[in-house]
């Protein structure tokens, strides 16, 4: 298909919202509370897609898919861990798992390899000025936007969200607020407009990846008060704070539209608006979940529709019909790179691979040839509607979910839904339609082979009798309430033996009412030594609010005592003891937490 005659080299503006659910805007008539007049304004200029999908139910994998046109299965970034210290450019499979787990999950890459030819690099080679504003979450330097084809990057941060808060004061290392209580989206919008103004006479690619509406959950006080009087407790969407966050997100879209109009370049600027995954259904704000994705099932971090079906608007002058809506085409975040290339008449590199395909015909109002899309998520986070490690295929009205090794004797298990009749995925048809399951699973198998995906394996340590529902009443917890993450921890021979299974092993503890400055001490033996830290944060999900103090262990066969003073204010919340990621097991004799306020606690593992 040949694209129509276009204005020479139109500008490209890509707006990516963070954690914005399909039902979180006025585009589909599913919300009574949230107001998004600027997205409606954008919709009048182009086409709304009702069946748009992110390549993952979590942020970093989808972001990588946009910049490469490739699936997370191929790239290896399948989890949002690109802010972690360890540089890991390829995925792998866990070496072990608890006896209750049927499958060994995958471990994600932690950086977007600079060997990929990104969308920004392609457009820059074609003469475009390029800039990235907002959230990145694909790696710090040398994997930042400045090494991936962008001339400008603000605020140049690798973290998973706004540093500390949406409302200033922020905690970005080299980016400060101009005025007290400045909102980060207001600032990002102003910076983006200033950059567009400077580059208005030449083609530009503006990559505006909003921090909104990701945690931490805070907003302008005036907007929170505005929505407090509008919430209906009976409406599943009833957080005034989240509603305020949605409005600030929408305001920044309006700021860009206003600037394009004022500069006289709206008629030669293509705009894509998309979300990186579904709405957050597992955190808490205002005593409720941030949002509701109803009528969709699930949310962020699940492969049900609520986790991967996202709002999408594309406005491309002379291509998209103004004010149109496409309810038929199934599109995905991997599709935009090849689409932009086709419409700009640019050629990909000779060895470049796309898992997405051009959706130019859909933008032109023509039928889009049927093609299945796949969502690869080999993880099982503990969230509502959580699933074991999975991969999905959408083909027409049908959706199959393969649950890796969850059947008998290591076989896969399946869920099958007809989304035309059952958008909420309430009726699993896998048992009644085995032939359809077989046909769709063959597509999944072909996809995994084509992408050379690192896939979950059967857990050789799985023990059916170890399942919680079959187990005897639990004995006293030998860890005394500490939870092992990224490691295995067992009490043996008078010590707590910790063996790392991931890049950042830690022991976590719900510190309860412990508050104020606190001293954490431990007696430890570490053959390899290395760096560790003690971290405290309000809840496991509030990673943006985490604070920590570092410590170092000497490489020695002798016991050593470590004392760390935490300058905490208020309650500690969750206390995490990060240990060096070493191959050799690390031994703990005891841990002591001694606050200035509250009761001291000591765990002696020699008893």
């Amino acid at each position: 298909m040949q694209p129509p005659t276009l204005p020479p080299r139109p500008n490209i503006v890509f707006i990516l919202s963070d954690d914005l659910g399909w039902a979180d805007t006025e585009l589909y008539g599913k919300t009574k509370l949230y107001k998004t007049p600027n997205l409606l304004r954008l919709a009048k200029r182009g086409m709304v897609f009702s069946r748009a999908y992110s390549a993952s139910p979590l942020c970093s994998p989808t972001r990588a898919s946009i910049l490469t046109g490739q699936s997370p299965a191929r790239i290896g970034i399948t989890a949002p861990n690109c802010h972690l210290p360890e540089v890991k450019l390829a995925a792998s499979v866990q070496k072990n798992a608890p006896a209750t787990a049927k499958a060994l999950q995958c471990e994600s890459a932690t950086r977007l390899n600079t060997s990929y030819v990104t969308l920004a690099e392609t457009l820059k080679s074609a003469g475009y000025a390029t800039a990235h504003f907002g959230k990145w979450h694909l790696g710090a330097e040398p994997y930042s936007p400045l090494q991936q084809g962008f001339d400008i990057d603000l605020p140049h941060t690798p973290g998973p969200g706004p540093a500390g808060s949406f409302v200033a004061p922020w905690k970005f290392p080299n980016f400060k607020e101009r005025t007290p209580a400045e909102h980060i989206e207001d600032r990002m919008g102003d910076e983006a407009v200033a950059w567009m103004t400077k580059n208005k006479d030449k083609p530009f690619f503006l990559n505006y990846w909003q921090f909104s509406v990701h945690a931490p959950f805070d907003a302008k006080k005036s907007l929170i008060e505005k929505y407090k009087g509008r919430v209906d407790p009976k409406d599943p969407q009833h957080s005034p704070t989240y509603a305020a966050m949605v409005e600030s997100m929408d305001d920044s879209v309006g700021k860009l539209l206003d600037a394009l109009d004022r500069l006289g370049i709206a008629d030669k600027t293509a705009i894509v608006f998309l979300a990186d995954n579904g709405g957050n259904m597992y955190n808490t704000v205002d005593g409720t979940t941030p949002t509701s994705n109803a009528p969709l099932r699930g949310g962020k971090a699940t492969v049900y529709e609520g986790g991967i079906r996202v709002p999408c608007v594309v406005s491309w002058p002379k291509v998209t019909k103004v004010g149109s809506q496409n309810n038929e085409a199934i599109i995905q975040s991997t599709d935009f790179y090849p689409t932009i290339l086709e419409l700009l008449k640019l050629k990909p590199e000779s060895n470049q691979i796309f898992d997405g395909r051009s959706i130019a015909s859909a933008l032109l109002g023509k039928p889009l040839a049927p093609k299945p899309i796949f969502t690869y998520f080999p993880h099982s986070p503990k969230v509502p509607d959580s699933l074991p490690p999975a991969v999905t295929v959408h083909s027409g009205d049908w959706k199959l979910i393969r649950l890796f090794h969850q059947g008998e004797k290591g076989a896969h298990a399946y869920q099958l839904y007809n989304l035309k009749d059952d958008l909420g995925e309430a009726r699993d048809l896998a048992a009644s339609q085995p032939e359809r399951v077989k046909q769709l699973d063959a597509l999944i198998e072909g996809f995994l082979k084509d992408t050379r995906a690192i896939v979950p394996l059967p857990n050789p340590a799985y023990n059916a009798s170890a399942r919680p529902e079959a187990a005897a009443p639990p004995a006293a917890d030998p860890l005394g309430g500490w939870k092992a993450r990224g490691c295995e921890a067992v009490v043996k021979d008078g010590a707590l033996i910790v063996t790392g299974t991931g890049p950042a092993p830690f022991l976590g503890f719900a510190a309860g009412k412990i508050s104020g400055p606190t001293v954490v001490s431990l007696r430890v033996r570490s053959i390899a030594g290395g760096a560790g830290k003690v971290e405290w944060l309000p809840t496991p999900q509030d990673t943006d609010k985490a604070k920590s103090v570092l410590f170092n262990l000497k490489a020695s066969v002798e016991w050593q005592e470590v004392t760390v003073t935490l300058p905490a204010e208020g309650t500690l919340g969750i206390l995490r003891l990060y240990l060096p990621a070493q191959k050799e097991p690390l031994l703990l004799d005891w841990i002591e937490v001694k606050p200035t306020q509250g009761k001291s606690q000591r765990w002696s593992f020699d008893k």
Side-chain angles (χ1 to χ4, degrees):
M1 183 201 70
Q2 293 295 321
T5 302
L6 302 173
R9 291 163 46 168
N11 307 310
I12 307 293
V13 173
F14 202 116
I15 307 171
L16 185 69
S17 186
D18 195 356
D19 289 359
L20 186 74
W22 183 75
D24 285 352
T25 77
E26 295 183 278
L27 293 173
Y28 309 105
K30 303 300 181 183
T31 183
K32 298 178 182 177
L33 178 61
Y34 310 144
K35 301 302 176 186
T36 55
N38 292 299
L39 283 180
L40 292 178
R41 180 176 156 203
L42 176 62
K44 291 181 180 179
R45 302 185 181 198
M47 177 176 289
V48 176
F49 286 86
S50 63
R51 302 182 73 184
Y53 290 87
S54 57
S56 169
L58 290 173
C59 60
S60 297
T62 297
R63 293 163 190 273
S65 77
I66 292 168
L67 288 179
T68 65
Q70 295 185 9
S71 167
R74 189 184 301 275
I75 299 168
I77 297 178
T78 55
N81 58 2
C82 295
H83 59 288
L84 296 180
E86 183 188 24
V87 175
K88 185 176 180 181
L89 298 179
S92 60
V93 181
Q94 289 180 338
K95 294 180 180 179
N96 46 53
T100 54
K102 289 186 173 183
L104 298 174
Q105 299 184 42
C106 293
E107 295 182 355
S108 173
T110 66
R111 301 291 187 272
L112 179 62
N113 198 322
T114 53
S115 63
Y116 292 107
V117 180
T118 67
L119 174 60
E121 289 172 325
T122 296
L123 294 180
K124 187 174 182 177
S125 297
Y128 277 68
T130 60
H132 174 84
F133 294 94
K135 176 174 173 176
W136 175 244
H137 209 193
L138 289 172
E141 293 198 36
Y143 303 94
S144 81
L146 299 180
Q147 290 84 42
Q148 303 281 11
F150 293 99
D151 302 321
I152 300 292
D153 175 34
L154 284 176
H156 195 57
T157 177
S165 174
F166 278 90
V167 180
W170 307 315
K171 296 180 181 179
F172 298 110
N174 301 301
F175 189 77
K176 303 302 178 184
E177 61 272 13
R178 299 169 300 186
T179 58
E182 183 177 24
H183 194 282
I184 189 62
E185 296 301 357
D186 290 344
R187 178 64 175 277
M188 287 295 96
D190 288 345
E191 296 284 356
V193 167
W195 183 82
M196 287 194 300
T197 302
K198 181 180 178 181
N199 292 278
K200 65 181 177 64
D201 296 324
K202 54 185 176 182
F204 61 74
F205 171 40
L206 170 63
N207 204 48
Y208 182 11
W209 286 1
Q210 300 170 311
F211 289 106
S212 300
V213 286
H214 191 279
F217 298 102
D218 62 356
K220 298 176 181 178
K221 291 182 179 179
S222 59
L223 290 182
I224 295 175
E225 290 301 317
K226 169 183 171 181
Y227 283 99
K228 279 184 178 179
R230 299 184 180 184
V231 297
D232 178 0
K234 297 180 181 179
D235 187 335
Q237 294 176 333
H238 58 265
S239 165
T241 299
Y242 190 83
M245 295 174 72
V246 171
E247 181 163 331
S248 290
M249 176 280 300
D250 185 74
D251 285 345
S252 69
V253 175
K255 184 172 289 187
L256 299 187
L257 296 180
D258 289 343
L260 293 171
D261 291 343
R262 184 176 65 255
L263 296 171
I265 56 175
D267 62 346
K268 58 178 182 179
T269 301
I271 303 173
V272 176
F273 178 88
L274 188 73
D276 61 358
N277 51 248
N280 186 324
M281 289 290 292
Y282 60 78
N283 282 134
T284 301
V285 56
D286 299 329
T288 182
T289 56
T291 192
S292 168
N293 297 307
L296 306 183
R297 180 177 179 180
K300 175 182 177 178
T302 79
V303 294
Y304 289 121
E305 292 294 283
I308 55 176
R309 187 181 286 218
V310 292
C312 178
V313 185
V314 180
S315 170
W316 197 303
K318 310 293 185 180
V319 175
T320 53
K321 181 181 178 181
V322 296
S324 58
Q325 181 156 337
N326 191 317
N327 298 320
E328 300 300 325
I330 301 175
I331 67 172
Q332 197 172 32
S333 54
T334 52
D335 294 334
F336 290 104
Y337 192 163
T339 301
I340 290 170
L341 291 193
E342 178 174 345
L343 290 175
L344 295 182
K345 299 182 180 179
L346 295 175
K347 298 290 185 181
E349 298 286 336
S350 59
N351 60 346
Q352 201 164 356
I353 296 173
F354 290 133
D355 293 311
R357 47 88 175 256
S358 173
I359 60 168
S361 61
L363 295 177
L364 288 162
K366 299 178 182 179
L368 186 65
K371 181 187 177 184
I373 65 167
F374 303 89
T375 306
Y376 183 60
F377 191 56
H379 307 283
S380 183
K382 303 303 180 184
V383 300
D385 272 317
S386 177
L387 287 168
V391 57
T392 77
V393 59
H394 286 75
S395 181
D397 294 326
W398 292 94
K399 175 182 178 180
L400 181 71
I401 304 175
R402 176 202 279 190
L403 305 173
F404 286 101
H405 310 298
Q406 299 303 304
E408 296 297 324
K409 297 181 180 180
H412 303 312
Y414 300 93
Q415 294 180 11
L416 176 68
Y417 301 100
N418 185 312
L419 298 178
K420 182 177 181 180
D421 300 329
D422 180 24
L423 185 59
E425 296 170 285
R427 299 184 296 277
D428 180 4
L429 304 176
S432 62
Q433 298 212 31
E435 283 302 313
R436 191 178 298 276
V437 169
K438 184 177 180 181
Q439 293 168 4
L440 294 176
D441 192 48
L443 296 178
I444 287 177
E445 191 64 26
F447 162 76
L448 294 175
K449 289 181 178 179
D450 177 64
T451 57
R452 299 181 180 180
I454 302 298
V455 297
L457 299 174
N459 179 14
Y462 172 68
N463 183 351
S465 64
R467 289 179 294 178
E469 64 270 22
D477 180 7
L479 272 61
W482 290 92
K483 303 298 182 184
R485 296 292 183 267
C487 59
E488 286 189 342
V490 295
V491 175
K492 185 178 179 181
D493 298 330
L496 176 60
I497 303 174
V498 180
T499 305
T501 59
F506 68 85
L507 301 173
F509 179 71
K513 297 182 179 180
I514 295 176
S515 64
T518 299
V519 176
V520 177
S521 304
L522 54 143
R523 188 168 187 258
V524 60
R525 190 167 71 186
S526 175
I527 296 176
K533 68 178 179 180
V534 181
E535 178 183 86
W536 67 102
L537 63 166
T539 72
Q541 291 77 33
D542 290 325
T543 55
D544 294 327
K545 298 181 181 179
K547 298 179 181 180
S548 61
V549 177
L550 303 178
F551 65 86
N552 280 287
L553 297 179
K554 297 178 182 179
S556 175
V557 295
E558 302 295 330
W559 289 99
Q560 54 187 301
E561 292 189 13
V562 177
T563 299
V564 179
T565 300
L566 311 181
E569 299 177 0
T571 57
L572 293 184
I574 302 298
L575 186 67
R576 290 177 172 175
L577 175 58
Y578 281 86
L579 300 166
Q582 58 182 39
K583 294 182 180 179
E584 296 80 3
L586 182 148
L587 278 64
L588 285 161
D589 185 25
W590 50 261
I591 303 172
E592 184 177 63
V593 177
K594 190 174 183 179
T596 56
Q597 306 173 36
K599 186 178 179 181
S600 297
Q601 297 188 56
R602 183 184 177 97
W603 294 262
S604 295
F605 302 110
D606 58 345
K607 299 179 181 179

